[in-house]
């Protein structure tokens, strides 16, 4: 039983790694689907233990080969019920044939091809976009050995990712072809990112949930070696979830679908909660976090969870990029605004980078910063949140001496502003 669980966990880890790699390829080549197809084919061949993998796209009345991994390449296939790929597309369903060579009655054309080329157990999964089949993926073996439920589900996930890549490339081509409709194209991009982020969060939350259940020994004792692996799976899963949530936030903001929930709040309490949350990271690095907030700081009116998000980003960045010294958070009221400043003794930011770091997916381009990780979205989201509140955000810095990130927030935010 233990060996079986170990194998299942190892298989789940490999599958998660493969799906994450495909998402990375999608991100790195948003306008080119070929690298995505090639990665899917090679990953599916390994994880599904297939002799070869083929990826087809619908083109007229045929399926056109667009990617292949393995020795048994094939040409175009007619979209008819007599071929496995054709029936998969016509019926838009997953089909597994235990021995395609003997399935003469169901697949006369496919069976003849199988006998010539040695195909036996074959799994075919459709690519479906908005109710229309646009292709399929086939996994083929030269022996009679049915694919497991886990392998079937994995190939379905790969098919969904292929559709995401196709849709992504289509949207990007649409943006390029309609430069005179840039605003509308940007809306499409934001909507796509929002939809993709939502769809990705659902299975990822399930993965994290099952990981926690296994760690809590709901399914039985967990050896220490497996527990360490589970810890890594959960850590990386939560990092990916943070990235997805950031993409969802930025897409909501850009598409005008982020609504502030304005209510009375205590900035002093919010600062205390934020500092408590980041103190373990500071303690681990031997840094001191100092808070300077007057006791008579008045209550404010804003979206407290979003302000906490901004403070967490600023404090988290300050601690992450500071190796020695301290981080200081100061807050006061100036005129009718809260004036908040987060000061660090980190490496500082060059003048050329001070504006760029507030743009999407931008980070300071040097090795010491890159190794810290991050998505390049936190500051972009934070500045937009401040603008929605009618506030401002900026940075002052001297290379080698540290940085001061500041924000100005109206004490009373009476309505949500529009982004300009």
């Amino acid at each position: 039983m233990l060996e079986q669980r170990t194998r299942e966990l190892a298989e789940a880890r490999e599958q998660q790694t493969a799906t994450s790699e495909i998402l990375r390829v999608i991100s790195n080549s948003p306008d080119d689907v070929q690298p995505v197809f090639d990665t899917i084919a090679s990953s599916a061949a390994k994880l599904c233990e297939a002799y070869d993998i083929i990826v087809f796209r619908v083109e007229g009345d045929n399926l056109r080969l667009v990617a292949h991994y393995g020795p048994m390449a094939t040409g175009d296939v007619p979209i008819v019920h007599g071929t496995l790929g054709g029936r998969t597309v016509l019926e838009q369903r997953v089909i597994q044939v235990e021995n395609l060579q003997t399935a003469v009655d169901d697949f006369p054309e496919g069976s003849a091809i199988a006998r010539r080329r040695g195909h036996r157990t074959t799994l075919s999964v459709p690519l479906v976009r908005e109710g229309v089949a646009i292709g399929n993926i086939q996994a083929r073996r030269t022996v009679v050995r049915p694919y497991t439920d886990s392998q079937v589900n994995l190939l379905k996930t790969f098919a969904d990712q292929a559709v995401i890549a196709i849709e992504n490339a289509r949207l990007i081509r649409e943006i390029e072809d309609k430069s005179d409709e840039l605003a509308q194209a940007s809306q499409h991009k934001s909507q796509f990112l929002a939809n993709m982020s939502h769809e990705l969060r659902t299975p990822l939350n399930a993965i994290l949930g099952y990981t926690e259940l296994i760690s809590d020994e709901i399914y039985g004792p967990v050896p220490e070696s497996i527990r360490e692996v589970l810890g890594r799976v959960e850590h990386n899963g939560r990092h990916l979830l943070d990235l997805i949530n950031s993409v969802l936030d930025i897409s909501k903001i850009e598409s005008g679908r982020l609504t502030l929930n304005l209510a009375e709040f205590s900035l002093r309490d919010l600062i205390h909660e934020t500092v408590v949350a980041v103190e373990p990271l500071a303690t681990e690095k031997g840094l001191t976090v100092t808070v300077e907030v007057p006791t008579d700081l008045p209550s404010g009116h804003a979206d407290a969870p979003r302000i906490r998000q901004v403070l967490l980003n600023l404090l988290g960045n300050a601690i992450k990029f500071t190796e020695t010294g301290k981080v200081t958070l100061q807050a006061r009221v100036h005129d009718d605004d809260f004036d908040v400043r987060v000061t660090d003794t980190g490496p500082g930011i060059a003048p050329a980078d001070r504006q760029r770091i507030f743009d999407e997916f931008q980070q300071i381009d040097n090795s010491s910063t890159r190794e810290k990780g991050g998505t390049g979205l936190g500051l972009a989201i934070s500045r937009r949140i401040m603008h929605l509140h009618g506030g401002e955000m900026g940075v002052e810095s001297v290379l080698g001496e540290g940085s001061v990130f500041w924000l100005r927030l109206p004490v009373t935010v009476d309505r949500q502003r529009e982004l300009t």
Side-chain angles (χ1 to χ4, degrees):
M1 181 66 72
L2 177 58
E3 291 181 357
Q4 180 182 351
R5 287 179 181 165
T6 302
R7 286 195 301 270
E8 290 173 350
L9 287 171
E11 181 182 10
R13 184 172 69 252
E14 287 183 341
Q15 292 183 0
Q16 182 185 22
T17 299
T19 54
S20 297
E21 172 63 15
I22 293 171
L23 289 174
R24 186 191 66 79
V25 175
I26 292 174
S27 176
N28 288 344
S29 58
D31 58 348
D32 185 5
V33 296
Q34 192 58 49
V36 180
F37 292 155
D38 292 340
T39 304
I40 285 174
S42 60
S43 297
K46 174 185 176 182
L47 296 177
C48 292
E49 300 174 317
Y51 188 65
D52 74 344
I53 298 288
I54 49 177
V55 182
F56 286 115
R57 290 284 303 275
V58 171
E59 189 172 278
D61 296 328
N62 294 296
L63 288 171
R64 180 173 61 86
L65 179 71
V66 294
H68 172 257
Y69 188 91
M72 296 193 297
T74 187
D76 292 354
V77 174
I79 302 176
V80 295
H81 280 87
T83 63
L84 180 58
R87 182 172 297 187
T88 301
V89 167
L90 291 172
E91 298 182 4
Q92 297 185 20
R93 66 184 179 91
V94 177
I95 302 177
Q96 178 169 194
V97 181
E98 186 171 295
N99 189 350
L100 192 56
Q101 291 191 16
T102 60
V104 179
D105 293 338
D106 291 330
F107 304 100
E109 292 95 332
S111 181
I113 295 173
R115 287 194 298 275
R116 289 198 305 270
R117 298 180 176 172
H119 310 165
R120 284 184 168 78
T121 299
T122 307
L123 172 65
S124 183
V125 177
L127 309 182
V128 181
R129 184 187 70 207
E130 298 179 352
V132 177
I134 59 174
N136 82 306
I137 303 176
Q138 288 187 30
R140 305 186 296 197
R141 288 173 174 165
T142 57
V143 297
V144 176
R145 181 162 61 92
Y147 293 90
T148 66
D149 290 343
S150 176
Q151 291 169 336
V152 172
N153 289 331
L154 178 64
L155 205 63
K156 289 166 65 177
T157 298
F158 285 162
D160 291 340
Q161 291 181 316
V163 172
I164 288 175
I166 293 169
E167 181 69 1
N168 199 7
R170 183 188 70 81
L171 288 173
I172 290 177
R173 286 195 301 272
E174 181 177 300
I175 292 172
E176 293 173 346
D177 294 341
K178 297 181 179 181
S179 58
D180 58 334
E181 299 176 9
L182 183 59
Q184 180 182 356
S186 179
Q187 185 79 4
H188 285 177
K189 181 202 71 173
S190 299
Q191 184 65 49
F192 168 75
L193 288 173
N195 291 342
M196 185 177 73
S197 300
H198 175 74
E199 293 301 322
L200 291 174
R201 282 199 304 177
T202 301
L204 184 56
N205 278 321
I207 291 171
L208 291 173
Y210 280 117
T211 301
E212 291 179 1
L213 289 175
I214 295 172
S215 296
D216 292 340
E217 300 187 339
I218 297 298
Y219 302 111
V222 179
E224 192 60 34
S225 58
I226 301 300
R227 191 176 296 279
E228 292 177 3
V229 172
L230 287 174
R232 290 196 293 271
V233 171
E234 183 174 4
H235 173 77
N236 286 286
R238 295 202 178 281
H239 176 72
L240 181 57
L241 186 61
D242 287 342
L243 172 59
I244 293 171
N245 287 335
S246 294
V247 172
L248 184 60
D249 275 346
I250 201 73
S251 59
K252 280 183 177 181
I253 292 171
E254 288 187 346
S255 61
R257 297 193 297 113
L258 181 66
T259 301
L260 298 181
N261 296 313
L262 303 175
E264 186 173 345
F265 78 105
S266 167
L267 180 59
R268 183 180 177 85
D269 291 346
L270 208 60
I271 289 173
H272 174 73
E273 295 169 7
T274 306
V275 171
V276 169
V278 300
E279 270 185 334
L281 177 59
T283 301
E284 182 179 337
K285 299 183 69 174
L287 300 175
T288 300
V289 178
T290 303
V291 178
E292 300 176 6
V293 181
T295 56
D296 59 350
L297 198 67
S299 296
H301 190 268
D303 188 328
R306 290 296 177 181
I307 301 303
R308 181 189 295 109
Q309 180 179 352
V310 173
L311 293 176
L312 276 171
N313 178 258
L314 295 185
L315 271 176
N317 282 348
I319 294 171
K320 181 166 62 174
F321 293 110
T322 301
E323 295 303 324
T324 59
K326 65 178 181 178
V327 173
T328 302
L329 190 155
Q330 300 168 301
R332 65 181 183 123
V333 172
H334 179 69
D335 294 333
D336 294 325
D337 300 321
F338 288 121
D339 181 8
V340 180
R341 302 170 72 84
V342 176
T343 305
D344 65 59
T345 56
I349 303 170
D353 291 323
R354 290 175 198 163
Q355 180 58 42
R356 188 169 62 87
I357 58 174
F358 290 102
D359 295 333
E360 300 169 23
F361 300 105
Q362 294 295 320
Q363 295 174 307
I364 301 173
D365 194 13
N366 63 53
S367 58
S368 62
T369 298
R370 287 291 181 182
E371 68 183 12
K372 303 294 184 182
T375 64
L377 286 173
L379 288 175
I381 293 171
S382 296
R383 175 174 268 190
R384 284 164 172 78
I385 288 174
M386 293 308 301
H387 286 173
L388 290 173
H389 281 84
E392 295 179 334
M393 183 177 180
V395 63
E396 302 165 4
S397 185
V398 176
L399 277 176
E401 297 184 14
S403 304
V404 179
F405 282 85
W406 57 265
L407 60 87
R408 180 191 60 79
L409 172 70
V411 173
T412 301
V413 179
D414 54 0
R415 62 182 178 84
Q416 181 170 325
R417 269 60 171 183
E418 296 292 332
L419 292 177
T420 58

